[in-house]
Amino acid sequence: MSHPLRVAVIGAGPAGVYASDILTKSETPVEIDLFDRMPAPYGLVRYGVAPDHPRIKGIVSALHKVMDKPEIRFFGNVEYGVDCKLADLRQHYDAVVFSTGAADDRELDIPGIDLPHSHGASEFISFYDGHPEAPRDWNLDANGVAVLGAGNVALDIARVLAKQADDLLSTEIPDNVYRALRDSSVTDVHLFARRGPAQTKFTPLELRELDHQSEMELIVHPEGFELDEASEEAIRTNNQVKSVVKTLQDWALRDPKGNTRRRLHFHFLRRPVEVLGTDRVEGLRTEIMELDGNGSVNGTGEFETVEVQSVYRAVGYLSSALPDVPFDNRSGTIPHDGGRVLDIDGEHIPGVYTTGWIKRGPVGLIGHTKGDALETVNNMLADVSEGAGHDGDAVPRMLSERGIAYTTWQGWNLLDEHERALGEQRGRERMKVVERDEMVRVSRDGDS
């Protein structure tokens, strides 16, 4: 008698859920347990996407359908390496898949980067997404802010900082975040890219979205807006690059509005070299770079200083090492061959696999993890064709005996329904306050 293949997936973000979905669609009978150290599933989609990105947040609907499958169980509030170890999992499962993503900020080794009011991207994103481990308050007393990076994460941070808080009332923004952004002192957000406009990693849709924000002026500084031979070739051969450069060129040619509450500045060919200040951030020093004809850059030895009071670095994410699992600290990934985890001798550790950003590094969009998961699952099924007959009740019994208050899929659905009801009620209350304040303002203007 054959037994279903029992698989533990560590990390219930898109990568882990996609791998589980592919497993359920295979011809091999499976039983899958998804573990996450957070009490809620969805990982990056829940805690790493700006609240005004409902299109990306909508991925939750597709992930929810997968989690609803009878072959899948969810164990939230269970931290791998603390509440359970690899030896525990290998005792109860035929295969273990690590899909823990990349939640840490990559370091930027320049003087002053550790000054107060210098932040990593994930810190701020966790705050505005209501991560349970994030602070409830955030100091936004800076008039000028520097955002370091040339990808969509940098765009998200710059947009949220420059956006009018009332424009977020129709989103899932937590009340404490709304209040912090409403009371923000920010007037100018400066985004610094080390290379030129054709080398940025912005996607056209996310870039054009900036042009639909109220009370925000987009300023593309002509200094550094350069295209070399490699840039021209990228524009000719890549429609995404062509669209991004065209959008930025159009903005650079605009006449300044001069009457907006906030301004978002784009600075290209500027490499951050020092965060200035004593007790807190007071400025950013950058080196002027030049393109080398091949799409890379060289320093010119000339420098500029911009007065800012806060710095946010969005120079990439980094995965964390996991107990009892090999890890390459240089690349921030688990060594693997097609998703098969490799030991120090380059040999596959039987029954241990990986997928997602901890497998390939924090690159690509959320949808790219599907192909990544497919490779891992296909190799797993080639290695293990059927289960050994593990007891499916052994794991919840083990967690209970260890006093771990884990959450389940059914429990999460009840909490989610409660949160949605509260959110709808808060949304109505927020809009009433905004409408009342607007009526008061109009009345005062009429009396003056």
Side-chain angles (χ1 to χ4, degrees):
M1 178 182 175
S2 62
H3 299 282
L5 190 69
R6 298 206 72 245
V7 180
V9 178
I10 312 304
V17 177
Y18 288 147
S20 302
D21 186 35
I22 295 168
L23 274 168
T24 62
K25 292 176 178 176
S26 70
E27 296 180 357
T28 302
V30 293
E31 293 177 353
I32 303 163
D33 287 344
L34 264 166
F35 295 85
D36 203 285
R37 72 182 188 90
M38 292 289 106
Y42 309 139
L44 177 68
V45 178
R46 179 174 174 87
Y47 295 121
V49 176
D52 58 346
H53 267 175
R55 177 179 59 84
I56 299 178
K57 290 279 191 183
I59 294 174
V60 167
S61 298
L63 300 181
H64 191 285
K65 291 179 181 178
V66 178
M67 299 282 288
D68 260 340
K69 291 187 174 184
E71 303 98 324
I72 298 174
R73 295 189 300 186
F74 174 65
F75 293 91
N77 204 40
V78 178
E79 184 173 358
Y80 170 79
V82 177
D83 301 322
C84 62
K85 298 183 178 181
L86 182 58
D88 298 320
L89 299 174
R90 298 184 77 178
Q91 180 181 350
H92 298 296
Y93 296 94
D94 301 298
V96 181
V97 183
F98 289 97
S99 58
T100 49
D104 297 332
D105 288 296
R106 188 173 291 277
E107 295 296 329
L108 182 62
D109 187 17
I110 61 174
I113 197 66
D114 294 325
L115 279 168
H117 297 272
S118 174
H119 309 284
S122 67
E123 298 175 57
F124 186 53
I125 292 172
S126 294
F127 164 72
Y128 68 57
D129 267 338
H131 193 291
E133 296 175 353
R136 297 288 296 168
D137 299 310
W138 196 272
N139 190 322
L140 291 171
D141 67 351
N143 298 129
V145 177
V147 178
L148 315 180
N152 285 340
V153 174
L155 279 188
D156 275 353
I157 291 174
R159 185 186 68 256
V160 171
L161 286 168
K163 192 165 188 160
Q164 299 303 310
D166 285 353
D167 292 341
L168 291 164
L169 285 171
S170 60
T171 73
E172 299 175 352
I173 183 173
D175 286 341
N176 63 303
V177 179
Y178 167 72
R179 289 192 297 269
L181 296 175
R182 180 196 62 193
D183 300 335
S184 168
S185 300
V186 173
T187 59
D188 290 85
V189 178
H190 299 268
L191 191 149
F192 292 91
R194 187 175 61 88
R195 296 194 290 172
Q199 287 77 44
T200 62
K201 300 300 181 182
F202 308 141
T203 50
L205 184 61
E206 274 65 30
L207 185 65
R208 291 194 299 267
E209 185 181 353
L210 294 173
D211 209 20
H212 303 292
Q213 313 301 315
S214 64
E215 295 294 319
M216 182 199 299
E217 181 170 8
L218 301 170
I219 301 172
V220 178
H221 291 259
E223 305 86 3
F225 196 96
E226 298 176 11
L227 303 173
D228 61 356
E229 294 176 8
S231 302
E232 297 288 0
E233 176 65 18
I235 292 170
R236 285 193 299 269
T237 59
N238 188 308
N239 286 332
Q240 178 166 302
V241 174
K242 179 180 180 180
S243 178
V244 165
V245 173
K246 175 67 165 58
T247 298
L248 291 167
Q249 285 175 328
D250 290 345
W251 293 349
L253 295 172
R254 285 180 180 173
D255 293 328
K257 298 177 183 178
N259 61 348
T260 55
R261 294 174 60 184
R262 289 180 180 151
R263 292 160 293 279
L264 174 51
H265 305 257
F266 288 84
H267 304 271
F268 295 100
L269 292 176
R270 296 296 185 272
R271 179 178 72 91
V273 294
E274 184 178 6
V275 178
L276 306 174
T278 51
D279 298 326
R280 65 167 292 168
V281 173
E282 297 174 7
L284 179 73
R285 189 167 183 250
T286 63
E287 182 180 12
I288 300 173
M289 311 299 284
E290 59 183 8
L291 293 166
D292 66 357
N294 298 311
S296 191
V297 291
N298 297 314
T300 65
E302 299 179 44
F303 299 89
E304 291 179 343
T305 297
V306 175
E307 185 178 331
V308 295
Q309 298 80 46
S310 286
V311 170
Y312 295 78
R313 70 181 188 279
V315 294
Y317 288 124
L318 195 65
S319 297
S320 298
L322 298 169
D324 304 321
V325 181
F327 193 74
D328 183 341
N329 287 294
R330 185 176 57 181
S331 65
T333 60
I334 294 175
H336 70 92
D337 179 13
R340 296 179 173 103
V341 174
L342 303 178
D343 63 18
I344 194 171
D345 297 318
E347 299 294 329
H348 176 215
I349 302 174
V352 184
Y353 303 85
T354 184
T355 189
W357 278 3
I358 198 166
K359 171 188 174 186
R360 73 176 190 275
V363 292
L365 302 176
I366 291 174
H368 291 162
T369 57
K370 290 184 178 180
D372 202 34
L374 181 62
E375 177 187 57
T376 295
V377 169
N378 283 342
N379 284 331
M380 178 199 301
L381 295 178
D383 296 338
V384 190
S385 59
E386 65 178 39
H390 295 290
D391 179 7
D393 295 326
V395 170
R397 194 163 54 240
M398 176 189 72
L399 296 175
S400 297
E401 289 172 354
R402 294 178 180 180
I404 299 165
Y406 62 87
T407 57
T408 64
W409 179 240
Q410 293 75 18
W412 159 245
N413 278 325
L414 291 174
L415 178 59
D416 189 40
E417 291 173 8
H418 179 65
E419 284 185 344
R420 289 177 184 275
L422 287 178
E424 292 173 1
Q425 179 181 346
R426 283 198 301 264
R428 290 191 294 267
E429 292 171 353
R430 288 171 179 170
M431 294 308 296
K432 287 179 182 178
V433 171
V434 173
E435 291 168 359
R436 182 196 65 201
D437 291 346
E438 181 67 13
M439 290 175 64
V440 170
R441 185 189 66 79
V442 170
S443 176
R444 287 174 177 168
D445 291 347
D447 293 339
S448 59

